[in-house]
Amino acid sequence: GENVEQHPSTLSVQEGDSAVIKCTYSDSASNYFPWYKQELGKRPQLIIDIRSNVGEKKDQRIAVTLNKTAKHFSLHITETQPEDSAVYFCAASIFLGGGGQGFSFIFGKGTRLLVKP
Amino acid sequence: NAGVTQTPKFRVLKTGQSMTLLCAQDMNHEYMYWYRQDPGMGLRLIHYSVGEGTTAKGEVPDGYNVSRLKKQNFLLGLESAAPSQTSVYFCASSYSVNQPQHFGDGTRLSIL
């Protein structure tokens, strides 16, 4: 079946450094790629997303890049802060059948980011 | 505007018992989803719905049933709970295809 691989599984950086998380996907029909941040015991929350007609998107300290040919996309966090510590999930859209109406995401297994003060 | 609300937040069951998890959204979203989250496994789709009165299987549907009688509600049922169903369950909703999913706070379910 389709899958999304996410690396690394854990990432430790010093406050102020940059962090990069990479994902690869298998479904060539995927065209929407959100990133979620999940703090301990909380719900996943969308932090940034990118669509297949865009190669890069930025929102303050967060950016996402997409290479559709290579089927990989990455999350970049600059000037990391202790409050960035959380688990980050990438996801790729998939169509589940039912005449194309069924739609959801395949999620990566997550990256635990620790930002040390 | 509460977003996506899940009840209950915690529950402990004995093997063989049944229960229903309720998800309610007030954003008029068409699509609703149930996921389970296990350590190291990310989020896995159990069942989903593309509109009122419709349901379909996701990646890990065995042992679960769902119903979407009203657009705003999506129910997840466990008919005969098993220890392997111990997990955190998240409900999510989205407006349409290729739109972000909004998650509830989750239900932590333990089955002894």
Side-chain angles (χ1 to χ4, degrees):
Chain A
E2 307 299 347
N3 73 307
V4 172
E5 293 190 2
Q6 183 172 347
H7 298 281
S9 57
T10 60
L11 179 59
S12 182
V13 300
Q14 208 66 37
E15 181 178 0
D17 287 350
S18 295
V20 180
I21 302 170
K22 299 181 180 181
C23 290
T24 59
Y25 61 97
S26 59
D27 187 355
S28 57
S30 295
N31 56 13
Y32 175 58
F33 308 90
W35 284 88
Y36 288 86
K37 175 184 180 182
Q38 187 178 30
E39 297 176 352
L40 188 62
K42 301 285 184 66
R43 70 176 76 182
Q45 291 195 300
L46 180 75
I47 55 171
I48 196 167
D49 56 9
I50 191 167
R51 301 181 189 279
S52 60
N53 58 345
V54 176
E56 183 176 6
K57 183 177 179 180
K58 289 183 179 180
D59 183 4
Q60 299 182 342
R61 296 186 295 110
I62 295 174
V64 58
T65 57
L66 171 65
N67 183 326
K68 281 222 72 177
T69 303
K71 294 184 189 174
H72 65 72
F73 56 113
S74 300
L75 177 71
H76 305 254
I77 306 174
T78 59
E79 300 174 17
T80 54
Q81 301 167 3
E83 51 264 39
D84 293 330
S85 297
V87 178
Y88 291 81
F89 292 96
C90 63
S93 62
I94 56 168
F95 283 88
L96 301 167
Q101 288 186 309
F103 160 80
S104 187
F105 297 105
I106 294 179
F107 285 83
K109 293 186 177 181
T111 296
R112 185 173 300 278
L113 174 63
L114 175 62
V115 180
K116 295 180 285 186
Chain B
N1 190 337
V4 179
T5 303
Q6 291 183 234
T7 53
K9 295 189 185 306
F10 304 96
R11 186 73 184 267
V12 178
L13 291 178
K14 294 181 179 179
T15 298
Q17 288 184 319
S18 63
M19 78 162 294
T20 300
L21 281 65
L22 172 64
C23 176
Q25 53 94 5
D26 61 3
M27 297 175 282
N28 201 33
H29 284 172
E30 291 292 335
Y31 292 74
M32 296 188 75
Y33 314 82
W34 276 106
Y35 292 93
R36 60 178 290 173
Q37 185 176 38
D38 302 295
M41 296 296 292
L43 290 153
R44 293 184 292 169
L45 184 65
I46 305 172
H47 285 281
Y48 67 99
S49 169
V50 302
E52 181 179 316
T54 74
T55 64
K57 295 180 180 180
E59 180 186 358
V60 288
D62 294 343
Y64 306 94
N65 56 75
V66 288
S67 64
R68 184 121 181 250
L69 299 179
K70 294 183 178 181
K71 184 177 183 177
Q72 63 268 33
N73 295 338
F74 195 29
L75 279 61
L76 177 71
L78 286 74
E79 290 186 345
S80 180
S84 61
Q85 295 177 305
T86 293
S87 188
V88 180
Y89 291 85
F90 284 99
C91 175
S93 69
S94 66
Y95 178 70
S96 183
V97 298
N98 286 352
Q99 295 295 320
Q101 292 181 345
H102 300 261
F103 286 85
D105 286 333
T107 295
R108 188 173 297 275
L109 182 61
S110 294
I111 299 164
L112 307 177

